[in-house]
Amino acid sequence: MRATPLHPRFGLEIHDVDLRHVTAEAGYPAIREAFETHSLLLFRGQQLDDEAHLAFGLLFGPIEDRSLGKYGDKPRMDNVTNLLPDGRVAPKDDSIMLNNIANQLWHTDSTFLPVPALANILAARVLSSRGGETEFASTRAAWRDLPEALKARTRDAVLHHRLSYSRAKVSQKLATEENYTKWADQSWKALWHNPVNGEDALFIASHAFAVEGLPEAEGQALIDQLIEFATRPGTVHTHAWRPGDVLIWDERAMLHRGRPWPYEEERTLASICVSAQDVDGLNRMRPGT
């Protein structure tokens, strides 16, 4: 595959690949190798419909279902949009829009679920006239660069995650809604070890609210310090979306966030998360293992 770097420390744009034609035998092994090594992959000029999008995602693993089976067992999309069910653009104080704004906090997807995500596969569908970029930072690079004193505090730490915690930073009302309170708190080690290449990465998110064994304020301060370090100037790649763009990133080794756009305009990105499995290092992330 022909590829060019996105950032000096992570990320590749991969050229001349049509994701509709990638199979387990043809194309996927090279894409998966690049995913493990570079953490963020960009494919431009794609034409993925929902069926092709889901088929490609299933090459990485099981598709995440946050509906808890409400729509059956068949994998389905979970798009990022500001549209209401009736097709109108949501007003800024609507829950859908407030959730979009909460996604502008630095986060890792699905750390609040019983099974966290391995990957997100995001495709441009409807873009705003300006803004709406997605920013990325490598938590693998951050761990390499972290001062030794911070490494010592973090290496064996266990973080507690809750979706309503991050939503409360934007709206206390949003944080009380059933969509954001239906999962019990989750606990994960602060370092994710990649079993393919042996690399470690910080596993942190805006959903992380406590560090096991530390007073609340001290734990939150440590989490904030780690996220600030990982996203310091020079470490961030900003992706300005174009029609046909598809981004894939390793949730085990990346932080990301959305950026504002004119909220009266539609912005819809086709989205699926792929759940992590033990082969991806999940078994080592559970406290006590």
Side-chain angles (χ1 to χ4, degrees), residues 110-166:
S110 310
T111 65
F112 51 84
L113 294 180
V115 179
L118 165 69
N120 191 323
I121 304 175
L122 199 59
R125 289 284 177 87
V126 179
L127 301 176
S128 53
S129 61
R130 64 185 187 278
E133 301 89 355
T134 305
E135 295 187 331
F136 296 90
S138 170
T139 59
R140 183 182 296 167
W143 176 249
R144 291 173 184 160
D145 297 344
L146 205 65
E148 190 53 47
L150 264 181
K151 279 189 174 182
R153 296 184 65 197
T154 308
R155 186 174 280 109
D156 298 318
V158 172
L159 307 187
H160 303 306
H161 299 255
R162 179 190 302 149
L163 179 56
S164 62
Y165 175 76
S166 62

Side-chain angles (χ1 to χ4, degrees), residues 236-251:
V236 173
H237 169 71
T238 301
H239 178 69
W241 288 91
R242 301 180 195 169
D245 282 358
V246 174
L247 284 175
I248 307 168
W249 66 90
D250 188 342
E251 300 279 11

Side-chain angles (χ1 to χ4, degrees), residues 139-141 143-144 191-194 197-202:
T139 59
R140 183 182 296 167
W143 176 249
R144 291 173 184 160
L191 282 185
W192 196 304
H193 180 79
N194 185 310
N197 55 35
E199 296 272 8
D200 290 328
L202 291 169

